[in-house]
């Protein structure tokens, strides 16, 4: 065969088992010769495993009656759409999980836009938290030990000056952060952990022109998001803390975030 140049797209093909067999040897040689691409392949493999674990319970559950009605266009009231959206997201993720993490976020992003940017923000933030808060070795891309670089890197990628809030007074230490897709743009996710190993996350994007604030819980047994959309940015603090505690942590994080944006 004629040797060709490989790219990041081929990593996804290889992980999905869609890379032609006669190209496998050349691909393996290319991966071994490119440490950066080899690291990406390892990260994508870990992301796929985390995604499968996050939705393992959903895959074996029967499709809810309400979800069937929504798909068929029956009784698609605003209330019904809000209640079923997490199931829609989970179903989309279950179908797209074999396509990798990028497919998962594309599936979540396309579901239920009619209720506004606030619900979309909260759902994306909760979905990211569900996947990465459970990770131990691959929860973040840049650790807290490199905080200055983390803040600069995420600020440049997201398009706003991002300062990682200090939540030590609330009992949470910064673990690190990562860059994520969000709608048509990018989002920064900062992960925090307390002494008991309980984690919360801060999800921030500069892609909002709306103005809103509130709380959102996608699932009765899942994490809750406290969110704000204002002045061209949007943020959500997500966790499974008691509501009063989460609100207090969110308030502290929000104050420091706004102060950082204005400085």
């Amino acid at each position: 065969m004629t040797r060709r140049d490989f790219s990041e797209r081929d990593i996804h093909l290889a992980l999905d088992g869609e890379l032609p067999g006669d190209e496998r040897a050349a691909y393996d040689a290319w991966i071994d010769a490119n440490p950066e691409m080899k690291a990406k392949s390892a990260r994508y493999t870990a992301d796929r495993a985390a995604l499968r674990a996050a939705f393992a319970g959903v895959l074996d559950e029967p499709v809810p009656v309400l979800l069937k009605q929504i798909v068929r266009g029956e009784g698609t009231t605003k209330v019904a759409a809000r209640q079923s959206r997490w199931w829609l997201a989970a179903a989309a993720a279950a179908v797209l999980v074999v396509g990798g993490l990028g497919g998962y976020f594309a599936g979540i992003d396309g579901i239920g836009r009619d209720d506004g940017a606030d619900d979309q923000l909260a759902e994306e933030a909760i979905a990211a938290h569900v996947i990465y808060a459970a990770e131990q070795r691959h929860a973040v891309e840049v650790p807290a030990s490199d905080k200055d670089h983390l803040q600069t890197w995420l600020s440049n990628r997201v398009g706003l000056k991002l300062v990682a809030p200090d939540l030590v007074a609330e009992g949470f230490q910064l673990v690190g952060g990562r860059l994520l897709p969000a709608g048509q743009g990018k989002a920064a996710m900062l992960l925090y952990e307390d002494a008991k190993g309980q984690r919360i996350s801060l999800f921030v994007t500069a892609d909002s022109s709306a103005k809103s604030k509130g709380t959102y819980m996608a699932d009765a047994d899942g994490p809750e998001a406290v969110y704000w959309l204002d002045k061209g940015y949007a943020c959500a603090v997500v966790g499974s803390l008691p509501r009063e505690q989460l609100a207090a942590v969110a308030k502290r994080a929000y104050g420091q975030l706004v102060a950082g944006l204005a400085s």
Side-chain angles (χ1 to χ4, degrees):
M1 61 166 287
T2 301
R3 184 181 181 88
R4 68 176 180 85
D5 292 331
F6 291 96
S7 67
E8 187 172 344
R9 176 177 179 275
D10 294 296
I11 296 177
H12 296 287
L13 290 176
L15 291 177
D16 294 342
E18 297 179 359
L19 188 73
D22 59 351
E23 294 183 356
R24 187 72 205 198
Y27 168 80
D28 289 340
W30 173 76
I31 276 287
D32 289 338
N34 290 272
E36 181 181 354
M37 292 300 176
K38 191 170 186 178
K40 284 187 177 183
S41 178
R43 191 170 78 243
Y44 295 155
T45 300
D47 287 342
R48 285 162 56 89
L51 185 56
R52 288 180 183 277
F55 290 99
V58 177
L59 298 177
D60 297 327
E61 292 183 10
V63 178
V65 174
L66 184 57
L67 175 57
K68 292 180 180 179
Q69 292 174 343
I70 294 297
V71 171
R72 293 169 182 166
E74 302 171 0
T76 53
T77 64
K78 186 174 183 178
V79 173
R82 289 175 67 92
Q83 291 176 338
S84 66
R85 185 174 298 141
W86 180 247
W87 273 108
L88 284 167
V95 172
L96 294 170
V97 65
V98 294
L101 191 62
Y104 164 69
F105 276 105
I108 281 243
D109 183 54
I111 294 172
R113 292 290 189 88
D114 59 306
D115 288 341
D118 48 357
D119 285 0
Q120 179 187 343
L121 166 73
E123 287 165 356
E124 289 179 338
I126 289 174
H129 181 87
V130 168
I131 293 171
Y132 291 109
E135 276 290 304
Q136 295 302 315
R137 296 183 61 185
H138 303 282
V140 299
E141 292 179 287
V142 180
S145 58
D146 201 0
K147 183 178 178 180
D148 289 342
H149 169 63
L150 172 66
Q151 293 179 144
T152 301
W153 173 60
L154 289 178
S155 295
N156 291 336
R157 294 296 184 273
V158 175
L160 55 79
K161 183 178 179 181
L162 182 64
V163 175
D166 184 345
L167 301 178
V168 173
E170 281 68 38
F172 286 89
Q173 296 278 355
L174 179 66
V175 175
R178 64 169 50 246
L179 186 67
L180 295 172
Q184 299 302 312
K186 301 173 183 177
M189 177 183 174
L190 298 173
L191 191 66
Y192 293 81
E193 185 176 79
D194 66 9
K196 298 179 181 179
Q198 188 162 217
R199 290 177 168 179
I200 60 171
S201 60
L202 176 64
F203 187 91
V204 185
T205 178
D207 289 339
S208 173
S209 59
K211 186 172 183 178
S212 179
K213 63 180 178 180
T215 60
Y216 185 92
M217 182 178 288
D219 184 87
D221 298 321
E224 185 173 10
V226 180
Y227 64 83
W228 301 267
L229 295 86
D230 193 17
K231 300 178 182 177
Y233 77 94
C235 69
V237 176
V238 183
S240 298
L241 307 177
R243 179 163 294 184
E244 297 77 9
Q245 183 183 2
L246 182 63
V249 172
K251 184 177 180 180
R252 175 67 70 110
Y254 173 71
Q256 294 183 46
L257 178 64
V258 172
L261 290 169
S263 64

